[in-house]
Amino acid sequence: MTSEPRAFLALDKGAATVAAALIGRVAGRWRLVGSIAMPADAQLEAVISVLGDRVLEAEPEFAAGLGLRPGSVLELPRLEVASQGPGRLAVVAASARGLAPLVASASRSGWRTSSGSADAIDPLAMSMLLLDPGVSAILVGAADPPGVDERRGIGELAALVAAVAERRPDLTIILAGAMTDHLSAFRDADRRSGEIVLAPAAQRDMPGGPLADLLLELALPAGDSHRSLGPAAATLAEVLDRQVDIVEIGFDAGTRVSARPNSGGGPPAFDLAVVPAAALSHAEPDDAMVDRVGSWSTWGADRHRLRDRLRELDVAPWSDAAGEGSALRMAAARAALARLAERTSDWDHRPPADLVVAAGGAWAVASAPAVALAIADVLRRPGASQYALDHARLLAPLGSIPDPGERRAMITYLLDDLLVPLGTFVTPAGLRSGRSAGSMVVHGSDGDTEHDLQPGGLTRVRLAPGVEAVAEFRFRDTVKLGARGRHFAVDVAGGLGGLIVDLRDVPLNLPERADLRGELLESWEQALLHGPKA
Amino acid sequence: MSATGVQLVSVRQLVASPVDATFRLSPGDRPIVSAGESVVVGAPIAERLRDPRLDTFDIAPSAVEPEPGARWTGRARRGDGHGPIGEYMFEWHGRWRVATGDVTDPIETPFAGIVREVRPGTGITIRAAGRGIPGVVAFGTPTRGRLQAGAEGELRSGGLDVGSAGTILVVASRVDAETLTRARAMGVRGIVVAGLSSKERRDFLGSEARQRAALHRLPPFAVLVLDGAVRRSLSGAVQALLGALAGRQVAIVTDPPMLIFDQPNLVIEPPPIDLVRIRAGALAGREGRFIAAIGPRRFQGGARLEAAIVHLPDGTEAAIPIGDLERYV
């Protein structure tokens, strides 16, 4: 008998749903035994008990081998992450020009932002903005050295913020760039309960720089589920030796991670963006937000009805997940993903990831091909990528393991269980419409199959999970598929959606008319879910 | 059958206690209570500047150095009892910016309680003497009135009469903007409703903004939405509680959205632990008894969701996604 645990729980306590996974040691390695997801305000102990009961009922001997008996699952060690819910950061600057890069950095660093510049709003309005009871930190910044438009107002702005800091000693104050020179305006800095933090200037056209990293540190504590996805993606990239992207759409924020293995032998690198504006739902969806969801919706609701449904989604995000509710979620998830992509558009020049992992509760109610299609609809990059789903929401808990060696070992053990392969998307760009674009031959283990490539649609080839093949493309004209050319051979891997050749426009052009748009979206979904399969 | 099954169902609070309600202040508004003070119903707690502005003043060298947030009193003009008042905001180049204004409106508390926190320019928090029924959103201004049961289903503007002046009306399912506007005009103090659609909400808020711009001060009126934005009847537990409160004085506050009542002798029986309400889907609004969690099942549109069997009052049983259920505690 060993004292080492033979099982543990991985818990991801999201803002809308809680996911629990039971990991057990089987034949000398850790495996996923079972998982469950329930509404966030269900009793956690009850959720874990149900998971344990199901394992005991399904495989009593196997459960006994893990040391499980009725009720004992509650005593297992827990690896736990939670979504903390974004705080509000008031971002102010002396000029609108100086404000823009600050907001760009802050809005992808785990903060909800409200902002204003001294040249656009008067000091009274700015004081109201900063004294709002919902604000938990203030970012005040200027370029370094300050621009011509900033110099005149920077001193008065520092005095205004210092006065607010005196009134609200609980607020964290972040002075960025040339604003750090005005630290002396902040009296009694040592006696405040909130920190005063000196930060580098925001860099124009580089929203993910050192300032964003610092803001992420301040926004999200260790053990936050969004933040933990960064180390998880980096470890996955290292283990697979592939470039990995994670796109998470959660109830309170969207997260995107881009990780690549380090060829130099050092630790793998990753970029992390946590964007509260890319959350699945918002309490007060504005017209732009509603219209964006409407543009992905197939059920033709008017703006008012759609707004009602989005408000309901915000009040009870776990509810109404079948039928129209599922379609609404996928439309809202696409809209959120588009916001996430916009906030991380500086990553667009990078080569497409080898593996794109969908994570977060938003995808939980959709079929695997529908999830893959939703991502391919929005993140349109010419190239070939394999798509997968973090079905048991294990990535964030595993990413929270502090020791890189342990994290790597655990992810290596769980690699076969961690992700559901959705399939491989091959997306060429630059196709001419109206005639056959060429042909594709899939060289698989059980022979070759040939397919005609029709521009504007999706061609799906059945390729089971775990099966690998080579897809050979011969295009009539030069296209972009990673590189420019007419003849390509691409290694592809199977999944629940198989191999999908996406011959639609890059970026996607949708009709203006709602009915035509709805029909087109539906036809693509049907092609993927039920269309001709080879 | 799982003994813990019903605990998988999402929980809503029927009654919240204690209730800390916040009254928002802007720079220049003058709090007239301090932390620890008791306040009675209708007591003024602050003065709100109607049109605040920022003025710049020199401070006499002999004067005590002011602090941001401290009160400023200007020199009285001839014939005035007191000078203009305001709030020190910040100092720049030896001069102080002061938030001030000419006309103030009183902010009154619609419930009794103890002041917990006063933050000039930010807000006043009062712990209510009493308990509250939480809603999902409230808008308007904190208000008080006698609770009166309204329409069973949808309340139409023609269904209002002057006898409702001074009351807070309970509307079982839904109300439109015209009715809200008419209710306010007839002296109704507030509406409690299960669902309010986005269109009606926007129209009513637009109407209120226009009224506020044209008139000077509107009587307090608030709308408390208990459930959401779609048509849905009130839950049985909430209906029973509101029924017990009918005819008594209650208050609506907006932060947090809540109906506050001070009835210490009112005994509220907790709903049966297995009583659940169906929030969405074809059976939305119905209530029944939770029988068992049955694991994942496939529902409309192919969605595979965790489900439970619910016994309905008509004797039938239905498999419902657990996410569509809620229970009150």
Side-chain angles (χ1 to χ4, degrees):
Chain A
M1 181 102 181
T2 170
S3 60
E4 276 193 21
R6 281 170 284 168
F8 70 92
L9 292 163
L11 304 175
D12 183 351
K13 293 157 77 176
T17 54
V18 57
L22 178 62
I23 315 288
R25 200 162 175 85
V26 184
R29 55 180 299 171
W30 294 102
R31 299 297 303 262
L32 172 65
V33 177
S35 66
I36 189 171
M38 287 285 173
D41 52 4
Q43 254 185 34
L44 182 61
E45 306 301 296
V47 175
I48 294 170
S49 294
V50 168
L51 176 61
D53 290 349
R54 284 183 188 170
V55 173
L56 281 164
E57 278 169 31
E59 294 284 350
E61 287 177 20
F62 172 72
L66 295 177
L68 293 182
R69 55 186 193 285
S72 69
V73 71
L74 293 171
E75 296 155 14
L76 291 177
R78 297 177 184 191
L79 186 59
E80 191 170 319
V81 290
S83 176
Q84 306 294 331
R88 181 164 292 282
L89 179 71
V91 187
V92 290
S95 72
R97 208 171 67 94
L99 182 67
L102 289 168
V103 172
S105 288
S107 61
R108 58 188 262 174
S109 305
W111 293 96
R112 288 191 193 282
T113 57
S114 46
S115 59
S117 64
D119 61 357
I121 59 173
D122 66 34
L124 184 62
M126 189 170 282
S127 297
M128 287 171 76
L129 175 86
L130 301 179
L131 287 169
D132 186 297
V135 167
S136 48
I138 296 173
L139 168 64
V140 51
D144 196 8
V148 178
D149 52 342
E150 291 175 313
R151 278 181 210 143
R152 206 161 62 98
I154 196 171
E156 186 176 3
L157 179 64
L160 188 154
V161 177
V164 171
E166 208 172 320
R167 295 171 68 160
R168 293 277 312 273
D170 55 313
L171 291 179
T172 299
I173 310 287
I174 303 137
L175 305 176
M179 197 53 85
T180 55
D181 298 341
H182 294 265
L183 176 63
S184 57
F186 294 81
R187 294 183 291 183
D188 299 330
D190 300 340
R191 279 187 279 169
R192 302 180 79 249
S193 54
E195 283 180 286
I196 294 184
V197 182
L198 304 184
Q203 290 165 343
R204 201 169 296 279
D205 303 324
M206 205 180 127
L211 176 62
D213 293 342
L214 174 69
L215 293 173
L216 262 170
E217 285 281 328
L218 293 169
L220 307 174
D224 177 85
S225 56
H226 304 293
R227 185 172 163 177
S228 299
L229 287 174
T235 310
L236 201 57
E238 185 188 2
V239 169
L240 296 171
D241 194 24
R242 285 166 152 209
Q243 188 178 323
V244 174
D245 272 14
I246 296 180
V247 284
E248 183 220 17
I249 299 299
F251 176 65
D252 57 4
T255 307
R256 190 173 183 189
V257 194
S258 172
R260 52 224 164 259
N262 195 322
S263 53
F270 69 87
D271 293 309
L272 171 67
V274 181
V275 183
L280 181 69
S281 77
H282 293 261
E284 299 295 334
D286 60 21
D287 285 351
M289 208 170 273
V290 174
D291 289 346
R292 191 163 224 172
V293 175
S295 72
W296 290 112
S297 168
T298 52
W299 49 282
D302 60 49
R303 193 189 264 177
H304 297 304
R305 273 186 62 210
L306 199 51
R307 198 191 306 271
D308 286 348
R309 296 295 293 266
L310 291 174
R311 282 210 165 104
E312 286 282 323
L313 182 62
D314 192 70
V315 171
W318 48 82
S319 176
D320 197 18
E324 278 186 356
S326 171
L328 174 78
R329 269 172 177 70
M330 291 312 286
R334 280 178 169 91
L337 195 54
R339 292 193 292 272
L340 184 62
E342 280 170 9
R343 296 296 201 287
T344 50
S345 57
D346 53 314
W347 300 358
D348 286 352
H349 67 277
R350 298 177 183 174
D354 302 310
L355 173 65
V356 179
V357 180
W363 312 113
V365 297
S367 66
V371 173
L373 181 62
I375 297 171
D377 280 349
V378 181
L379 303 180
R380 299 197 62 70
R381 311 272 298 278
S385 295
Q386 193 184 349
Y387 287 9
L389 180 67
D390 175 21
H391 64 113
R393 284 170 51 190
L394 272 175
L395 278 174
L398 296 180
S400 73
I401 298 174
D403 181 76
E406 277 182 34
R407 187 166 64 234
R408 187 180 197 283
M410 189 57 74
I411 286 184
T412 306
Y413 277 131
L414 288 167
L415 205 53
D416 290 342
D417 307 329
L418 196 58
L419 303 175
V420 168
L422 300 175
T424 300
F425 258 78
V426 179
T427 312
L431 296 173
R432 292 188 186 173
S433 59
R435 60 185 182 130
S436 169
S439 65
M440 169 183 71
V441 178
V442 180
H443 305 285
S445 56
D446 45 352
D448 297 350
T449 53
E450 185 164 357
H451 307 266
D452 185 40
L453 301 176
Q454 290 295 329
L458 293 159
T459 300
R460 180 184 171 193
V461 179
R462 186 177 285 276
L463 206 58
V467 174
E468 293 188 348
V470 175
E472 189 182 350
F473 294 88
R474 287 184 184 279
F475 292 100
R476 287 185 194 280
D477 303 305
T478 300
V479 300
K480 191 176 176 191
L481 185 59
R484 289 199 164 275
R486 292 165 65 175
H487 186 195
F488 299 87
V490 180
D491 290 327
V492 295
L496 297 175
L499 163 65
I500 297 121
V501 186
D502 186 347
L503 302 165
R504 302 172 298 167
D505 298 330
V506 179
L508 208 55
N509 290 316
L510 292 171
E512 285 291 315
R513 270 180 53 183
D515 54 340
L516 297 179
R517 195 171 56 233
E519 277 175 24
L520 193 59
L521 290 170
E522 209 151 345
S523 72
W524 288 335
E525 198 167 315
Q526 290 304 316
L528 206 60
L529 296 178
H530 315 291
K533 302 173 187 97
Chain B
M1 178 162 164
S2 168
T4 55
V6 77
Q7 286 151 339
L8 299 174
V9 173
S10 173
V11 167
R12 283 185 70 175
Q13 236 181 337
L14 179 61
V15 174
S17 178
V19 178
D20 287 337
T22 300
F23 298 80
R24 180 81 193 273
L25 296 180
S26 297
D29 294 347
R30 184 168 79 102
I32 51 180
V33 290
S34 50
E37 236 177 81
S38 293
V39 289
V40 296
V41 173
I45 55 171
E47 286 176 350
R48 170 159 290 152
L49 288 181
R50 195 174 292 167
D51 296 305
R53 63 174 187 275
L54 206 62
D55 288 342
T56 305
F57 295 99
D58 289 316
I59 304 297
S62 57
V64 179
E65 177 72 9
E67 287 182 352
R71 297 305 301 173
W72 168 86
T73 307
R75 196 176 298 161
R77 276 175 273 174
R78 197 186 314 168
D80 279 356
H82 60 81
I85 56 167
E87 183 180 321
Y88 287 106
M89 298 307 296
F90 64 97
E91 185 190 11
W92 177 235
H93 283 170
R95 308 187 80 200
W96 275 88
R97 305 283 197 274
V98 172
T100 185
D102 300 321
V103 184
T104 59
D105 292 326
I107 300 175
E108 294 165 356
T109 170
F111 57 85
I114 295 172
V115 179
R116 301 275 294 174
E117 187 180 43
V118 178
R119 281 184 168 179
T122 299
I124 297 173
T125 304
I126 300 177
R127 173 156 294 180
R131 294 168 282 178
I133 304 174
V136 295
V137 68
F139 45 88
T141 48
T143 183
R144 182 178 182 83
R146 184 170 46 80
L147 194 72
Q148 180 179 311
E152 279 296 316
E154 192 163 349
L155 177 65
R156 296 278 179 193
S157 58
L160 290 167
D161 61 62
V162 287
S164 300
T167 64
I168 289 178
L169 279 178
V170 179
V171 180
S173 71
R174 196 160 157 163
V175 68
D176 62 24
E178 187 189 343
T179 309
L180 291 175
T181 308
R182 189 170 152 86
R184 185 186 54 205
M186 291 178 75
V188 172
R189 288 302 172 89
I191 300 281
V192 179
V193 64
L196 186 68
S197 78
S198 300
K199 180 182 180 304
E200 306 305 340
R201 177 173 159 171
R202 189 198 61 178
D203 290 352
F204 172 70
L205 288 174
S207 159
E208 190 171 71
R210 286 192 296 277
Q211 290 271 334
R212 207 170 287 283
L215 300 171
H216 289 297
R217 191 181 172 216
L218 292 171
F221 180 83
V223 180
L224 175 68
V225 182
L226 293 177
D227 262 355
V230 301
R231 184 190 296 267
R232 193 183 286 123
S233 58
L234 285 171
S235 78
V238 172
Q239 276 187 42
L241 179 53
L242 291 172
L245 290 171
R248 315 209 188 193
Q249 291 287 321
V250 296
I252 297 177
V253 292
T254 54
D255 184 13
M258 200 167 282
L259 183 89
I260 295 177
F261 58 94
D262 184 13
Q263 302 295 335
N265 297 327
L266 179 68
V267 178
I268 301 164
E269 293 294 334
I273 190 168
D274 59 348
L275 180 66
V276 292
R277 176 173 182 243
I278 303 169
R279 190 181 162 85
L283 300 172
R286 296 185 69 179
E287 295 182 355
R289 292 197 177 273
F290 186 96
I291 303 296
I294 54 172
R297 291 287 183 277
R298 200 165 287 281
F299 288 91
Q300 192 191 353
R304 199 170 151 80
L305 305 168
E306 291 283 345
I309 295 291
V310 175
H311 183 87
L312 299 167
D314 60 9
T316 59
E317 289 185 350
I320 308 287
I322 286 182
D324 285 352
L325 300 177
E326 61 185 13
R327 65 190 177 99
Y328 283 86
V329 293

